[in-house]
Amino acid sequence: MSERFRVTYRVFAASQGEAEARAEGVALEQTVEIPRDVVPAGFVEDVILGRVEEVAAEGEGTFRAVVSYAPESCGTELPQLLNVIFGNSSIQTGLKVTGLDLGPLGSVFPGARFGIAGLRRLGARARGPFVAPVLKPMGLSAAELAAIAGACARGGAHIVKEDHGLAGQPSAPFAERVARIGAAVAEANEATGRRCLYFANLAGPAEALPEMAEQAARAGAHGLLIMPGLFGFDLVRRMAGPAGPGLPVMTHPSFLGPHVLSRDTGFTHGMMFGTLQRLAGADISVFPNVGGRFGFSAGECREIVAACQGPGPGLPILPAPGGGMSPERAGEMLAMYGPDTMFLLGGSLLRAGAGIGAAVARLCEEIERVGG
Amino acid sequence: MSERFRVTYRVFAASQGEAEARAEGVALEQTVEIPRDVVPAGFVEDVILGRVEEVAAEGEGTFRAVVSYAPESCGTELPQLLNVIFGNSSIQTGLKVTGLDLGPLGSVFPGARFGIAGLRRLGARARGPFVAPVLKPMGLSAAELAAIAGACARGGAHIVKEDHGLAGQPSAPFAERVARIGAAVAEANEATGRRCLYFANLAGPAEALPEMAEQAARAGAHGLLIMPGLFGFDLVRRMAGPAGPGLPVMTHPSFLGPHVLSRDTGFTHGMMFGTLQRLAGADISVFPNVGGRFGFSAGECREIVAACQGPGPGLPILPAPGGGMSPERAGEMLAMYGPDTMFLLGGSLLRAGAGIGAAVARLCEEIERVGG
């Protein structure tokens, strides 16, 4: 085990020399943030200061730079770890985070509490992908949202998930919403003998979130949806960890787009929607599927899957592509994503109207048929 | 007063028709997130659904699109307001947020509690810019950081601000750090008769932040530094608002870079480092000065200043360019930024060693001389 953790950056530079200078700049910027000649001798210079471990040509005009950092630069705090990985350097162009090796921090950030295996136990689903309709649109009443949830659960949905846009709207206040949906899903589970999991969207004023999470758990929610781009990754850690309500956490990419959309800033798709979500403790990571109205490529989606299911941080988690799933495309989607996936069913499902449960059932049957 | 709030987007499109279709897509995506043909009639369609108010050519291949939203889509919650402004749409390319008109939400989000005038009262500085050395590097002990703070305060610094990288490092744990620095600044103020303001960096586990803020206030901190990119904008609102410790809030751009670095995603510089910070309740907004190791242009910096000091949300706040200030450049910097500014003094100040107080004094005198 290394004594330092390592971050790999893609550096956009014209030469090896320029790339090395950039890497040395990152090592300073992300730790001491002072010129090299005034770094205090001893502990600060020897331990705290970032250390360039490797700079190598990668592609045309790009270099792979590995910088190592001391655990003492972030202690045991996730926000500060992210701050060291890419705080100030996020404001410089020509630099992208492509890898993270936690080294000695692996035990500090244990990752998901449930992971894929834990979700299968909770949902009593030993094999095959999870089909997850989204409860929306905002503006519906709590009773209307609960009716959709109940119909989907009776139809065979493995998970029903609230839309990330359901917050404290007056049309469906949080307490009433989770109570009604929790009850509707429990009733459906009672009727079917299955165990559909209900994920409530944890969105509200910062000071209210811990109590809201407990409220959701008491109302029968089996999991929480969290947007780290709006609430910070540390809320995921807080809720997924021992002081949280003990429910699995699904993360949503809202407000995080600019961190992946540019070629030369931010994070790779795998780092953002795989590694960072696992680091924070998420069990399921939502991202937009290839095709549809977001521009992710098939390669970027595969990269996210690999980052969700590969070695660490912690347990492998479910990648959750949104959009594109239908009975007609079930075979193709399964071939691309494999069975350890959650498929989000978006707004087009609402076309089925009162037949929404039957539409979910038809999709689940087709997934079984093609071998999910 | 309009009944809806309005967001202006820059849409990258090949034609007016394409831009209009994109704008309609945004109006759906940011509210109901379902296809147009299944939007429920009545309240959802008439009120909740985003409404395209205007689409007009702006520049080559860019269009200005104004979309209005109902207050009922976000209630009184800042994270949900940001979610409606740019949640899912942040994951689409060719779209940038350029303007916000709060309309009826102006009273819900009142902005800064202190603003420029309040900071001048707190710091007993009736006119001229604020000179603000940064306390760093991480890895120093609390006593060493306090010694720098005391020397800077005695030298005439108007504000001493902790580096955003000072978190819960074992070398200087939060409680000891704020106690020692608070005491050092109080002692210096006692000696000089001036009122140097100490801003403590509020960074730690999400669940500990409210108590840490109170602890900083008790230790004599006069303000808090917060990184909304890592902790969420709602922490700024929480700490700047009536339930916080009653201190002004300075915001830091860590982790927010990708939101401004791309031409065709995220926010304009003025929106991100002016409007959004004011919306959340910040009193001072830190950003990298033109020149130096970050790539902001003079125009982008001026845009931030205008957005910090122009009409709303709430009171005008201090823009705080980091880097570039020196006795030699004081005249030029003042000419560019004007007196309602906080100038951050970075790591190069540490070159003065034990003479750091004298270096601060010399800069303050030069600023007086050139008319600050």
Side-chain angles (χ1 to χ4, degrees), chain A residues 28-304:
Chain A
L28 283 165
E29 187 74 54
Q30 294 306 99
T31 54
V32 293
E33 209 203 326
I34 56 178
R36 183 66 185 87
D37 62 291
V38 293
V39 175
F43 176 70
V44 177
E45 183 172 40
D46 299 341
V47 178
I48 288 291
L49 180 61
R51 196 179 296 157
V52 177
E53 302 283 352
E54 183 192 335
V55 178
E58 187 187 59
E60 198 165 342
T62 68
F63 296 79
R64 180 181 178 278
V66 180
V67 181
S68 74
Y69 301 100
E72 290 87 344
S73 65
C74 63
T76 58
E77 297 172 7
L78 179 61
Q80 178 58 11
L81 173 59
L82 297 173
N83 205 15
V84 170
I85 292 172
F86 202 53
N88 263 12
S89 287
S90 82
I91 322 172
Q92 297 184 323
T93 46
L95 194 67
K96 204 174 178 78
V97 184
T98 61
L100 172 67
D101 172 3
L102 282 178
L105 291 180
S107 55
V108 177
F109 301 103
R113 187 168 180 176
F114 294 86
I116 297 173
L119 289 163
R120 291 202 177 285
R121 276 193 304 274
L122 271 187
R125 180 159 176 77
R127 43 166 286 282
F130 290 74
V131 170
V134 181
L135 308 177
K136 55 184 173 182
M138 67 161 75
L140 291 187
S141 69
E144 289 168 315
L145 292 164
I148 297 175
C152 290
R154 283 192 300 277
H158 309 111
I159 290 176
V160 291
K161 161 202 168 286
E162 289 181 349
D163 185 51
H164 72 286
L166 299 184
Q169 287 94 352
S171 47
F174 183 80
E176 186 193 350
R177 202 179 80 216
V178 294
R180 284 188 185 264
I181 298 177
V185 173
E187 201 177 305
N189 283 341
E190 186 72 27
T192 62
R194 289 188 298 257
R195 192 160 165 75
C196 172
L197 304 177
Y198 159 43
F199 277 69
N201 185 34
L202 185 65
E207 59 274 30
L209 298 174
E211 170 51 25
M212 288 170 68
E214 298 295 339
Q215 199 171 21
R218 286 193 302 269
H222 308 96
L224 298 173
L225 179 71
I226 296 180
M227 294 173 278
L230 285 167
F231 292 96
F233 278 93
D234 211 40
L235 180 66
V236 179
R237 178 203 56 77
R238 160 83 175 73
M239 290 299 159
L247 306 180
V249 172
M250 183 190 304
T251 49
H252 187 281
S254 175
F255 217 70
L256 286 175
H259 277 281
V260 301
L261 290 182
S262 284
R263 179 174 169 268
D264 68 346
T265 183
F267 293 79
T268 58
H269 289 69
M271 278 295 299
M272 178 49 76
F273 297 120
T275 310
L276 291 194
Q277 312 298 330
R278 290 173 74 173
L279 176 67
D283 300 283
I284 309 176
S285 174
V286 173
F287 63 93
N289 191 22
V290 56
R293 59 197 194 276
F294 300 91
F296 285 20
S297 71
E300 288 160 353
C301 291
R302 284 200 192 90
E303 183 189 297
I304 294 169

Side-chain angles (χ1 to χ4, degrees), chain A residues 29 37 206 234 262 293 351, chain B residues 29 37 206 234 262 293 351:
Chain A
E29 187 74 54
D37 62 291
D234 211 40
S262 284
R293 59 197 194 276
R351 288 217 179 86
Chain B
E29 187 73 56
D37 62 292
D234 210 40
S262 285
R293 62 197 192 276
R351 289 218 177 85

Side-chain angles (χ1 to χ4, degrees), chain B residues 74-156:
Chain B
C74 63
T76 59
E77 297 171 7
L78 179 61
Q80 177 59 10
L81 174 59
L82 296 173
N83 205 16
V84 170
I85 292 172
F86 202 53
N88 264 13
S89 287
S90 82
I91 322 172
Q92 298 184 323
T93 46
L95 193 67
K96 204 175 178 77
V97 184
T98 62
L100 172 66
D101 172 2
L102 283 178
L105 292 180
S107 55
V108 177
F109 301 103
R113 187 169 181 174
F114 294 87
I116 296 174
L119 289 163
R120 291 200 176 284
R121 279 193 303 275
L122 272 187
R125 180 158 177 78
R127 42 167 287 282
F130 291 74
V131 170
V134 181
L135 308 178
K136 56 184 173 182
M138 67 161 76
L140 291 187
S141 69
E144 289 168 314
L145 292 164
I148 297 174
C152 289
R154 284 192 299 278

